[in-house]
Amino acid sequence: MHGAWHGAWVWSEFAKVLARRGIDTEAVNLTSQGHDPATIGDLRSDVDLLRDTIAKVPGPVVVLSHSAYGGMVTSEAADGPGNVARLIFLTSFAPEVGESLSGLFGGDGQPPFIDPSNGLLTVKQGWGSKLFFSDCPPPVAAEAEARLLPQNAVSFGQEVRAAAWRRIPSSYIICTEDQAMPAPGQRRMADRVGDAVELRSGHSPFLSQPDRLADLVVERL
């Protein structure tokens, strides 16, 4: 499950790595991103989408959630289906019931990298490469930044209604060089989950070191 502003495209290369190891994957595009605030979804529709996707997969499912928002969606959506065997949080939030993304970040105004306009939150030019793709080769970082989409501001204020990590075995991958979600904050989330491992990586290891990330994921299957 990708995070805010991103899309299913972030998993493309990583999915190829897992496929070579005999692991099938499925990625979805969240509904809460786009250019028209009248038509995009929010946390609720994202949860519904992920829950429906999980339920349609035969056999045990492992859900890998990336970034703060990906963890919000996963923590609620994975609580419904009965086929989720494990959750893996990758530099992500593992929220308690009643917590929102903006609340976990402190809720004190917009960070400097966001341009809020017309109900949408857009990452300012240049900031995506610095925060999300800091250890990627420059061409990869530039291409990835160009694909970021505005995020529905409403989704950040909505509270999660379930904490699936409390009943489903879960692991946490801490990215120690992350410029978007610093390691101390990740470790606080990892303490909630219990099982944690550290990876010397920026925010997007599926782009910067997919093989090493696959090693860590496979070890937890």
Side-chain angles (χ1 to χ4, degrees):
M1 175 51 53
H2 66 81
W5 301 294
H6 296 64
W9 56 267
V10 303
W11 303 113
S12 296
E13 291 303 316
F14 184 62
K16 294 176 185 177
V17 173
L18 291 180
R20 291 196 290 270
R21 302 182 187 207
I23 299 172
D24 294 328
T25 60
E26 183 165 353
V28 298
N29 281 304
L30 292 178
T31 69
S32 56
Q33 295 153 3
H35 297 282
D36 184 356
T39 60
I40 62 175
D42 57 10
L43 176 63
R44 302 294 172 232
S45 55
D46 286 340
V47 166
D48 289 343
L49 173 63
L50 179 56
R51 182 179 289 131
D52 290 346
T53 301
I54 292 171
K56 292 175 182 176
V57 177
V61 175
V62 175
V63 183
L64 173 61
S65 65
H66 174 243
S67 199
Y69 187 70
M72 307 298 289
V73 178
T74 297
S75 291
E76 182 173 338
D79 189 65
N83 59 337
V84 181
R86 176 167 292 275
L87 305 177
I88 301 178
F89 294 89
L90 173 64
T91 183
S92 185
F93 275 164
E96 294 278 11
V97 173
E99 290 183 328
S100 67
L101 186 145
S102 59
L104 285 169
F105 270 129
D108 298 326
Q110 299 292 348
F113 69 90
I114 290 178
D115 178 18
S117 177
N118 198 26
L120 301 176
L121 305 176
T122 302
V123 177
K124 295 179 181 177
Q125 186 174 0
W127 281 89
S129 295
K130 294 177 184 177
L131 296 177
F132 305 138
F133 315 116
S134 59
D135 61 339
C136 295
V140 173
E143 180 181 357
E145 178 171 347
R147 301 185 73 169
L148 298 178
L149 292 173
Q151 179 79 24
N152 189 347
V154 170
S155 64
F156 280 14
Q158 292 172 303
E159 300 174 351
V160 299
R161 298 177 292 193
W165 54 269
R166 283 201 163 274
R167 68 172 186 83
I168 298 173
S170 300
S171 301
Y172 198 106
I173 299 175
I174 299 166
C175 296
T176 61
E177 310 307 304
D178 193 338
Q179 302 302 303
M181 188 171 172
Q186 294 180 60
R187 293 189 180 104
R188 288 193 292 272
M189 290 290 132
D191 286 343
R192 292 183 173 186
V193 171
D195 175 61
V197 64
E198 297 200 355
L199 173 63
R200 188 174 178 82
S201 166
H203 191 65
S204 304
F206 39 78
L207 295 177
S208 61
Q209 42 185 308
D211 285 287
R212 178 56 183 146
L213 177 61
D215 291 340
L216 297 179
V217 169
V218 170
E219 288 170 6
R220 281 149 187 83
L221 298 182

